[in-house]
Amino acid sequence: MTNTTNKRVGKKMIGVVLSLSVAFAGSMLLTPKTTHAATDAQVASKIIAKGKQYMGTPYRFGAKAGITSAFDCSSFVQYIYKKYGVNLPRGSKDQAKRGVKVLKKNLKKGDLIFSDTNRDGKINHVSIYIGNGKVLQTYRVGIGVTISNFKGSIWDRTFVTARDVI
């Protein structure tokens, strides 16, 4: 009888220990939103700083992915974000399908802004929101990678969507 009682107590103890282990392990997977947000903000700052290193780099439509001697808007975004572990497709239209939709009024640093600058119903431009109503982008021969005002600009007037991809 004591042997049977000992076995039952042992099984209950194992059950309690396993339950606590599962609960503890599960709580380790949950990270507070503030920690995640701080990490996102840090990554966004690094992406923006990296992008600024290419200020003045020439614009070339259809620039090859991965090169830094010239960019078009989407190759620039793809290259910079990839440096920080965010893999994006090559074209702006496909990039606009990634991440989480962001309302224009809720833009934060590091969000991607997608526009239809030739007003044909198709996304054809992407820029990086850097805060204070400004974007980091490349868009025309003779200008290259630059910082531009967003509010009231062609990119604002032809805004289609914004995405948080970080």
Side-chain angles (χ1 to χ4, degrees), residues 18 44 53 80 94 105 107 119 127 141 162:
L18 284 174
Q53 290 177 2
I80 300 304
D94 291 327
K105 67 181 182 179
L107 288 170
R119 296 177 170 99
S127 54
V141 173

Side-chain angles (χ1 to χ4, degrees), residues 79-140:
Y79 180 81
I80 300 304
Y81 280 71
K82 186 174 184 176
K83 291 285 180 191
Y84 297 94
V86 179
N87 293 310
L88 295 169
R90 173 63 181 81
S92 57
K93 190 165 73 172
D94 291 327
Q95 290 173 352
K97 297 173 187 172
R98 297 292 174 95
V100 177
K101 185 177 181 175
V102 176
L103 297 175
K104 194 191 302 188
K105 67 181 182 179
N106 295 335
L107 288 170
K108 66 184 183 325
K109 290 180 180 183
D111 288 343
L112 298 180
I113 297 173
F114 297 92
S115 305
D116 172 14
T117 59
N118 57 13
R119 296 177 170 99
D120 65 356
K122 298 176 186 167
I123 290 171
N124 63 0
H125 185 70
V126 59
S127 54
I128 303 167
Y129 188 73
I130 63 170
N132 299 319
K134 303 219 181 270
V135 293
L136 178 63
Q137 64 183 346
T138 186
Y139 67 94
R140 187 169 70 200

Side-chain angles (χ1 to χ4, degrees), residues 10-165:
K11 285 182 182 181
K12 284 183 182 181
M13 294 274 294
I14 289 172
V16 168
V17 170
L18 284 174
S19 296
L20 289 172
S21 297
V22 168
F24 180 73
S27 70
M28 296 292 287
L29 297 174
L30 301 174
T31 53
K33 183 64 177 161
T34 52
T35 303
H36 186 65
T39 303
D40 288 355
Q42 291 168 348
V43 171
S45 292
K46 289 177 182 181
I47 286 169
I48 292 164
K50 176 58 85 176
K52 286 180 177 179
Q53 290 177 2
Y54 292 96
M55 293 286 288
T57 300
Y59 172 86
R60 182 178 309 130
F61 180 76
K64 288 186 177 186
I67 66 162
T68 59
S69 57
F71 295 107
D72 67 11
C73 64
S74 56
S75 72
F76 176 63
V77 165
Q78 182 189 47
Y79 180 81
I80 300 304
Y81 280 71
K82 186 174 184 176
K83 291 285 180 191
Y84 297 94
V86 179
N87 293 310
L88 295 169
R90 173 63 181 81
S92 57
K93 190 165 73 172
D94 291 327
Q95 290 173 352
K97 297 173 187 172
R98 297 292 174 95
V100 177
K101 185 177 181 175
V102 176
L103 297 175
K104 194 191 302 188
K105 67 181 182 179
N106 295 335
L107 288 170
K108 66 184 183 325
K109 290 180 180 183
D111 288 343
L112 298 180
I113 297 173
F114 297 92
S115 305
D116 172 14
T117 59
N118 57 13
R119 296 177 170 99
D120 65 356
K122 298 176 186 167
I123 290 171
N124 63 0
H125 185 70
V126 59
S127 54
I128 303 167
Y129 188 73
I130 63 170
N132 299 319
K134 303 219 181 270
V135 293
L136 178 63
Q137 64 183 346
T138 186
Y139 67 94
R140 187 169 70 200
V141 173
I143 294 178
V145 176
T146 190
I147 294 174
S148 309
N149 288 321
F150 177 65
K151 188 174 181 181
S153 70
I154 183 69
W155 307 287
D156 182 11
R157 292 189 309 271
T158 61
F159 175 90
V160 175
T161 190
R163 301 299 230 190
D164 177 354
V165 297

